[in-house]
Amino acid sequence: MPLPQPHIRHATAADVPALLDLVRDTGTLDLHTPYTYWALAHAGLLLVAERDGRLVGLLTAMRAPEGSAMLLWQVGLREGERGTGLSQRLLDAFLDEARALGVATVTLTIADDNLASQGMMQRFAARHDLELERVGDTGPAATAMALETLYRIKLTHASV
C-alpha cells in the first residue's frame, strides 16, 4: 500500500527540533543553529513536508530588502523521499507563496558538483516555463564557504 502524500505547510517555532533532525538526516544540507530555523519560521519562508507527524522535507527562503526578490536557500528531503516528486511539490508551494508576496525574481546558488539540485531546478523551471539563468557566483564569499554558481529566475514574463 503506498504511503499517503506528505502535507506541505508553514513551519512553526515548535518544529525547530524536528527541523534540526531533518537537516542532519538529509546528509546534504548545511546544519545551522536552532535560532536560524526559528528566525526563518518567523521572518523568512520555511515550508515543511510532513507525513504521519514526521517532517520529511523542507524548503527555506528569505525575502530581499527591496521586497521584490527572494533568495531560495535550502531544499532538502529525507533519503526515502528522494525521487518521489516531493521536491517539486515544495518548489510549487514556494512559487505560489512568492507570487502571492509580489516577488518578481528568485535567486539561488548551487554548487557545480550538485547535479541533483541542478536537475531539480531545471525541471522546476521547465515545468513552469521559467528560465533558470546563470548570473555569476558567490565570488569573494568563497573564502569562507564553497564557491557556488548564482542563478536567477524571473517570475514575470516580459510583455510582447
Side-chain angles (χ1 to χ4, degrees):
M1 181 172 185
L3 293 173
Q5 284 288 323
H7 171 69
I8 295 174
R9 62 174 177 80
H10 287 266
T12 67
D15 291 314
V16 170
L19 281 163
L20 293 169
D21 289 340
L22 171 59
V23 171
R24 269 189 220 97
D25 288 352
T26 68
T28 58
L29 297 177
D30 291 335
L31 181 64
H32 298 283
T33 67
Y35 184 80
T36 301
Y37 295 102
W38 177 89
L40 284 167
H42 283 83
L45 178 61
L46 180 47
L47 300 174
V48 294
E50 181 178 31
R51 180 187 297 114
D52 297 327
R54 183 175 188 230
L55 298 186
V56 296
L58 83 155
L59 181 147
T60 63
M62 293 172 270
R63 191 114 184 235
E66 69 273 8
S68 66
M70 193 166 248
L71 172 69
L72 176 57
W73 189 20
Q74 294 180 312
V75 179
L77 305 175
R78 291 191 189 276
E79 189 173 343
E81 302 295 330
R82 296 178 190 149
T84 66
L86 181 55
S87 65
Q88 295 299 308
R89 289 186 56 220
L90 281 163
L91 287 165
D92 290 349
F94 164 74
L95 180 60
D96 291 344
E97 293 277 342
R99 285 185 166 151
L101 291 169
V103 171
T105 304
V106 173
T107 57
L108 60 131
T109 64
I110 304 174
D112 288 342
D113 63 350
N114 189 339
L115 301 179
S117 288
Q118 290 173 26
M120 174 187 70
M121 292 309 301
Q122 289 164 356
R123 285 187 300 280
F124 169 73
R127 285 188 316 103
H128 292 282
D129 193 29
L130 299 168
E131 180 184 358
L132 181 64
E133 178 186 10
R134 185 181 182 140
V135 294
D137 59 40
T138 53
T143 59
M145 61 185 224
L147 182 69
E148 295 195 1
T149 300
L150 178 65
Y151 294 91
R152 176 175 50 215
I153 300 173
K154 292 181 183 174
L155 301 185
T156 56
H157 297 285
S159 302
V160 178

